[in-house]
Amino acid sequence: MTETVGLFMASLLALAVFFAQKAKLHMSKLVLANKELKQEIAERRCTEKKLRIKDCVIETSINCIATADLSGSLTYVNGSMLALWGFTDESEVLGRQLSELLAVPGEAAAMTRGLLVNDSFIGEAKGKRKDNSSLDVQCCANLVKDETGTPLCIMVSCIDITERKAMEEAVRYHAYHDFLTGLPNRTLFMEHLNCALAQARRLHAKTGVLFLDLDRFKNVNDSLGHTAGDQLLKEVAERLKLCMRESDTVARIGGDEYTVLLTHISHADDASKIAKKIMAALQRPYIINNHELRVTASIGISTCPEDGETAEALLKHADIAMYHAKEQGRNNYQFYNPVLNIRTVERIVFESSLRKTLERGELIVYYQPQLDTGTRQIICAEALVRWQHPELGLLNPMQFIPLAEEIGIIMPIDEWVLRTACAQNRAWQEEGYPPLCITVNLSAHRFQQPDLAEMVARILRDTCLKPEWLELEITESIAMRDVGNTILNMIRLTGMGIRFSIDDFGTGYSSLSYLKKLPIHKLKIDRTFIRGLTADPDDQAIVNAVIAMAHSLKLEVVAEGVETEDQLAFLHSSGCDGIQGYLFGEPLRAERFAELIPLYQ
């Protein structure tokens, strides 16, 4: 009995242990399940939070974001896209086709179909706002798929690049157009010319090129300033455009140079007709800063295939022909002729020689006397530069000074002439000759330099010449160029004791209101008014008026180009203070001029 009870109790105990272990296992599963549930809830909440953050990021993104179903119908747009496209509520947009708001190059639905094939699109596209205005965007579109690869929708992200595109277009425009006139520049002209030549070859047609240069445009800049010169260039451009057909191209390739491309011309005479039309249009008066200006042009013409079959050859030959037109007296047109190439080579050789004149010592200063009209005594000597060319002989300034200004070597020539003249004047004084004034001409470029006064002071110091024995001569047009800077330079120099005279008075665009402000002491009447003085009443009236005006301003007057006794008698009776001309002496070398000094004392 006892054994039976013990066995029963042991069974009960074992059964209790079994159920206890089973309960413990069940409890562990419950705890684990509870933990997994909490973790799943936490993960779900984290995912929901991420989704809310993602939704917030998408909605507040500065990028324009939209989704569309596979048919291209919009299902979502964020606030940035609504704002940029000009909509106020998404209801105005949802359900509309993506292609209505965003068009990529090609067909309207190309983006949708392309994405179904390629999964993505990246590139520039055109947007269409609510008010139908357009904008440029950088677009990135992707096909969204589920885990099995099945397409779900299309997601598009855009950035507004309208301003950048406008800036790029502006940069591109200025790269191919002249900033001042808006005309095509040399680069664009050559592109048009190359295209025209290719077409002409296919059609066996002729093409013409005109190279146009304004005559004496530099005088406008010198007398009225660069602002007036720029205005003139713009007005010339407008007149040229009116002379052209729609198929032609007119360009400004630099300075006062223009080119014209004539397409589909039948004969060379067609080009000459256009040239005549241009010349007539340009000769009509211009009103610039209350000044009436008249300008002319020299035009060179080349044609394809006669004068070349490349753009470079045609432009070069038209340029050569234009220079020939200049040599023929300006205000005309000339066709290219191969003989002109020889002259071009000669000019290049001449230019090369001119650059070496100073180092070779080929420049010489000649001196011409200015006399007092009453006493017939020499009061001044004008220094005039000459070039002793090794092959062409003695050249006067008009044969090389304009070229020296053009190629940029006029300043060292100016300084050399000034130094040579000052040193010569000092040498005459040391040799015992009576002191006299030396007059030196300055170029416009040298006169406008800010270091002018320092340069003159240095030369006077180096040559030991006192300032009162130096007179600087400038033309009327130089005096009127940048009047503020002109007056400043003249005040600095007159403060040193240097005097000024205005050369060629009556031939420029001077204003008397400015003239009276300039610190000058002498006017030189241009020789063109002296030449017909004894026979032309108009010249007589002009000379008398200039003398009277100058004396009222307490200025001396010197007449240039006096060659006869009759001219001298008229000038003396009119009260002209000084005279200069071949009647008393041509320009002479220093040693011969020294022999002349005692004869007029």
Side-chain angles (χ1 to χ4, degrees):
M1 184 66 177
T2 303
E3 292 178 357
T4 301
V5 171
L7 183 60
F8 178 73
M9 292 300 291
S11 298
L12 287 176
L13 181 61
L15 188 60
V17 170
F18 171 76
F19 280 109
Q21 289 176 342
K22 193 171 183 180
K24 185 178 180 180
L25 179 61
H26 181 68
M27 184 62 68
S28 297
K29 288 182 178 180
L30 289 176
V31 171
L32 181 61
N34 186 47
K35 184 182 295 185
E36 289 176 350
L37 178 60
K38 288 182 179 180
Q39 184 176 351
E40 183 179 347
I41 292 172
E43 289 176 352
R44 185 180 301 148
R45 287 176 178 173
C46 182
T47 300
E48 291 174 351
K49 183 178 180 181
K50 288 180 179 179
L51 288 173
R52 286 196 300 273
I53 292 173
K54 185 179 293 185
D55 289 342
C56 183
V57 169
I58 291 174
E59 183 60 34
T60 60
S61 173
I62 61 173
N63 289 356
C64 301
I65 299 174
T67 61
D69 60 25
L70 299 182
S71 68
S73 180
L74 285 164
T75 57
Y76 169 79
V77 290
N78 71 347
S80 294
M81 189 161 187
L82 284 174
L84 183 59
W85 262 255
F87 295 100
T88 56
D89 189 85
E90 64 178 8
S91 62
E92 300 178 81
V93 179
L94 299 184
R96 297 175 63 174
Q97 285 294 305
L98 176 61
S99 59
E100 294 181 41
L101 304 184
L102 195 65
V104 297
E107 299 179 31
M111 179 185 291
T112 305
R113 291 204 304 270
L115 287 174
L116 293 175
V117 176
N118 301 316
D119 291 351
S120 66
F121 169 84
I122 299 176
E124 295 181 1
K126 280 285 185 182
K128 186 177 181 181
R129 294 189 179 97
K130 181 180 179 180
D131 61 3
N132 287 327
S133 62
S134 64
L135 67 154
D136 294 287
V137 294
Q138 182 70 36
C139 179
C140 176
N142 291 280
L143 191 63
V144 180
K145 302 178 180 179
D146 64 13
E147 61 274 9
T148 66
T150 302
L152 298 176
C153 67
I154 300 168
M155 177 170 282
V156 179
S157 175
C158 300
I159 299 175
D160 183 16
I161 59 171
T162 306
E163 186 175 344
R164 191 195 79 191
K165 291 286 288 184
M167 292 177 62
E168 289 176 353
E169 184 61 31
V171 170
R172 190 179 301 110
Y173 178 85
H174 289 303
Y176 289 97
H177 291 81
D178 173 53
F179 182 78
L180 178 65
T181 63
L183 293 177
N185 59 14
R186 178 188 289 269
T187 301
L188 185 55
F189 180 82
M190 295 301 281
E191 287 187 7
H192 285 192
L193 180 52
N194 278 311
C195 290
L197 291 176
Q199 188 178 37
R201 281 191 289 269
R202 290 195 302 270
L203 302 177
H204 304 287
K206 284 183 178 294
T207 300
V209 172
L210 275 59
F211 197 112
L212 181 151
D213 184 89
L214 300 183
D215 297 327
R216 299 184 177 89
F217 174 74
K218 185 175 179 294
N219 291 343
V220 177
N221 273 342
D222 289 346
S223 57
L224 298 181
H226 287 279
T227 301
D230 288 348
Q231 183 60 38
L232 177 60
L233 291 173
K234 289 192 285 187
E235 293 194 21
V236 166
E238 291 302 315
R239 295 191 186 185
L240 288 174
K241 287 193 290 186
L242 294 176
C243 296
M244 299 298 108
R245 303 168 299 175
E246 289 187 7
S247 60
D248 298 333
T249 300
V250 57
R252 179 179 177 233
I253 62 172
D256 59 336
E257 295 178 336
Y258 300 82
T259 52
V260 175
L261 165 61
L262 303 177
T263 59
H264 307 301
I265 58 175
S266 302
H267 305 283
D269 286 344
D270 294 338
S272 65
K273 290 176 182 177
I274 295 294
K276 291 176 183 177
K277 185 177 179 181
I278 289 173
M279 291 169 61
L282 297 186
Q283 287 181 34
R284 297 196 306 270
Y286 302 80
I287 305 300
I288 307 290
N289 293 347
N290 296 322
H291 292 274
E292 182 179 298
L293 303 181
R294 294 180 182 271
V295 297
T296 59
S298 299
I299 302 175
I301 304 173
S302 63
T303 59
C304 171
E306 291 83 1
D307 302 324
E309 298 186 1
T310 67
E312 292 75 13
L314 287 174
L315 190 63
K316 173 185 174 183
H317 292 161
D319 187 10
I320 292 172
M322 183 274 294
Y323 274 104
H324 182 51
K326 293 276 189 186
E327 294 172 356
Q328 297 302 307
R330 299 182 173 87
N331 191 26
N332 70 96
Y333 65 87
Q334 296 290 328
F335 281 91
Y336 171 74
N337 186 312
V339 175
L340 301 179
N341 271 338
I342 300 174
R343 297 183 183 178
T344 302
V345 172
E346 290 174 349
R347 185 179 186 273
I348 293 173
V349 173
F350 188 76
E351 179 181 317
S352 177
S353 298
L354 180 57
R355 292 182 183 277
K356 300 174 183 178
T357 53
L358 288 174
E359 61 185 71
R360 291 177 176 174
E362 294 172 353
L363 294 182
I364 307 169
V365 176
Y366 276 54
Y367 301 89
Q368 186 174 29
Q370 288 180 14
L371 280 69
D372 181 278
T373 306
T375 65
R376 308 289 177 90
Q377 291 182 335
I378 294 179
I379 55 176
C380 207
E382 181 176 1
L384 301 165
V385 67
R386 299 288 187 268
W387 179 12
Q388 187 63 56
H389 193 281
E391 298 174 0
L392 302 178
L394 191 65
L395 304 180
N396 65 52
M398 289 305 298
Q399 292 175 287
F400 65 92
I401 290 298
L403 179 59
E405 292 178 336
E406 181 182 334
I407 65 177
I409 63 170
I410 190 61
M411 285 181 53
I413 291 177
D414 274 346
E415 293 184 26
W416 181 87
V417 172
L418 179 61
R419 181 177 295 276
T420 301
C422 288
Q424 183 59 67
N425 197 9
R426 178 60 184 173
W428 284 331
Q429 292 180 13
E430 290 179 348
E431 292 172 11
Y433 292 101
L436 53 81
C437 176
I438 195 82
T439 298
V440 181
N441 294 275
L442 287 179
S443 68
H445 193 67
R446 176 67 266 185
F447 193 77
Q448 297 301 323
Q449 298 303 306
D451 66 339
L452 175 63
E454 290 77 7
M455 183 271 291
V456 174
R458 182 175 63 254
I459 289 177
L460 290 174
R461 184 172 58 252
D462 293 346
T463 59
C464 300
L465 182 68
K466 292 182 179 181
E468 58 263 33
W469 301 118
L470 174 62
E471 178 179 280
L472 295 179
E473 190 172 286
I474 58 176
T475 64
E476 191 177 357
S477 59
I478 294 175
M480 292 300 104
R481 178 181 180 182
D482 191 0
V483 175
N485 189 48
T486 296
I487 293 175
L488 182 61
N489 270 337
M490 293 180 74
I491 289 175
R492 289 175 179 171
L493 291 165
T494 53
M496 296 163 50
I498 296 169
R499 299 188 299 174
F500 278 92
S501 64
I502 299 293
D503 192 20
D504 300 337
F505 185 77
T507 62
Y509 300 98
S510 67
S511 166
L512 295 180
S513 63
Y514 280 124
L515 190 60
K516 68 180 183 180
K517 296 178 183 179
L518 299 176
I520 58 177
H521 83 285
K522 183 189 295 183
L523 294 181
K524 296 181 72 176
I525 303 176
D526 187 70
R527 65 184 70 248
T528 57
F529 301 111
I530 305 300
R531 189 176 299 120
L533 188 58
T534 58
D536 190 337
D538 290 337
D539 285 343
Q540 294 173 3
I542 291 172
V543 170
N544 281 327
V546 171
I547 293 172
M549 178 203 67
H551 286 169
S552 68
L553 295 174
K554 297 181 173 55
L555 302 177
E556 297 177 15
V557 182
V558 172
E560 295 183 288
V562 179
E563 298 179 354
T564 68
E565 290 289 347
D566 290 340
Q567 292 170 345
L568 174 61
F570 182 92
L571 292 166
H572 185 267
S573 65
S574 299
C576 186
D577 303 291
I579 48 179
Q580 179 179 343
Y582 280 22
L583 180 61
F584 297 98
E586 62 186 35
L588 301 169
R589 298 192 67 151
E591 55 272 18
R592 289 197 56 199
F593 185 89
E595 298 172 359
L596 197 65
I597 296 176
L599 302 178
Y600 292 97
Q601 292 298 323

